[in-house]
Amino acid sequence: MTWTIIDEGRYSEPIQQALEPVLLDRVDAGEIGPTLRFWYRERPAALLGRFQDYSDEVATGYVEERNLDVVRRITGGGAMFVEPGAVITYSMYLPRSEVPSDVEESYAELDRWTIDTLRDLGIDVSHEPLNDIAHPDGKIGGAAQLRRENAVLHHTTMSYDLDIQEMLRVLRIGQEKVSDKAISSAEKRVARIGEYVDISRDDVIDAMVDTARNRFDVTERSLTDDELAAARRLADQKFSTSVWNEEL
């Protein structure tokens, strides 16, 4: 089966999140085939898991002061802080027939090509169940999934050079005040790709694209005008609204 790679386009966080159901639903309906998309963000943002409480997870006063986007995902999992150029996010929209039915096996399988790429770059990483990409120094990335009747969304975010101190200011992570001890503890838990390679984030993404080209039968394209229009409508109606982002 031929995969399509989409590796371009810089969008707001609400549009990025809206593209997830837009493309997943098109795979679910059989309108498009397996698709791999890399994300390029406009601004820093905080992302909430589908079932997380806004005020429990986000330092609300700080994100309002900084005018940061806080956007709820359609997938579960924990809150995250993301910055343009400091993280690598990719999404895979796949026919369900191409994904192992066992959830734990599917996480390992769908991140395998990424782990192989990072190992080829000399980074000591491995899959850590259920859904993490781990280095001996800490967690490099994590994945989440959503399953439709005929399709699966698998998206992964990895730290390339994330600002840990800023992450602790944006996310509550159990403390009201960012202390030196909290920063030191978080730095031990979060590993960053940029600490282990002497190449840029874009070069890491290029290596991942090369792996995908070598491993799958691929074509490449841009998002269509129709896909982007659908995502912009959905961003306005849902992913930019306080009802979706701040209420459960």
Side-chain angles (χ1 to χ4, degrees):
M1 183 171 285
T2 300
W3 286 54
T4 297
I5 297 176
I6 301 173
D7 182 26
E8 62 177 32
R10 191 175 305 276
Y11 306 107
S12 71
E13 198 64 38
I15 291 176
Q16 296 280 13
Q17 297 297 335
L19 281 165
E20 299 298 75
V22 167
L23 295 175
L24 177 64
D25 288 347
R26 291 180 186 210
V27 174
D28 190 44
E31 297 172 3
I32 61 174
T35 301
L36 167 64
R37 180 173 75 90
F38 290 89
W39 297 37
Y40 297 92
R41 293 182 162 90
E42 291 182 343
R43 304 176 59 216
L47 311 181
L48 296 178
R50 174 67 184 88
F51 303 105
Q52 289 190 297
D53 183 86
Y54 173 83
S55 57
D56 283 349
E57 302 296 334
V58 174
T60 54
Y62 187 75
V63 299
E64 289 168 8
E65 176 186 320
R66 291 283 316 279
N67 193 30
L68 295 179
D69 288 328
V70 180
V71 185
R72 187 180 300 281
R73 304 189 303 268
I74 60 173
T75 54
M80 303 165 53
F81 173 61
V82 293
E83 299 173 290
V87 299
I88 296 173
T89 299
Y90 61 89
S91 296
M92 304 165 73
Y93 317 88
L94 303 168
R96 198 152 180 162
S97 59
E98 299 293 312
V99 178
S101 56
D102 180 81
V103 171
E104 184 169 339
E105 181 184 351
S106 71
Y107 275 107
E109 180 66 25
L110 297 179
D111 275 339
R112 187 184 309 280
W113 66 281
T114 301
I115 289 171
D116 289 346
T117 303
L118 296 179
R119 286 177 174 170
D120 287 344
L121 294 174
I123 308 174
D124 181 12
V125 292
S126 60
H127 172 73
E128 186 169 292
L130 173 68
N131 56 349
D132 287 347
I133 296 175
H135 183 277
D137 294 340
K139 175 178 172 178
I140 277 185
Q145 294 185 356
L146 181 68
R147 295 177 180 235
R148 299 276 201 247
E149 182 176 358
N150 300 309
V152 175
L153 163 66
H154 175 97
H155 55 195
T156 299
T157 293
M158 303 184 293
S159 172
Y160 175 80
D161 189 24
L162 192 65
D163 184 337
I164 304 299
Q165 294 188 34
E166 182 68 355
M167 179 187 77
L168 290 171
R169 294 185 192 99
V170 171
L171 305 179
R172 289 200 183 280
I173 318 182
Q175 72 272 329
E176 293 295 326
K177 182 179 180 181
V178 178
S179 64
D180 290 343
K181 183 178 179 180
I183 293 170
S184 176
S185 177
E187 287 177 337
K188 289 178 181 176
R189 295 196 305 269
V190 178
R192 296 173 287 195
I193 292 170
E195 295 174 349
Y196 310 109
V197 292
D198 191 23
I199 60 175
S200 69
R201 171 183 174 271
D202 287 347
D203 288 339
V204 175
I205 293 175
D206 287 345
M208 294 173 67
V209 171
D210 285 343
T211 298
R213 287 183 181 131
N214 293 330
R215 190 158 300 190
F216 312 115
D217 179 20
V218 303
T219 62
E220 300 180 36
R221 70 171 175 89
S222 303
L223 290 165
T224 67
D225 291 343
D226 184 64
E227 289 166 345
L228 275 173
R232 288 192 170 101
R233 285 195 300 273
L234 192 55
D236 288 342
Q237 296 165 1
K238 182 173 180 177
F239 291 97
S240 294
T241 69
S242 59
V243 172
W244 170 256
N245 293 324
E246 299 179 18
E247 300 178 13
L248 281 175

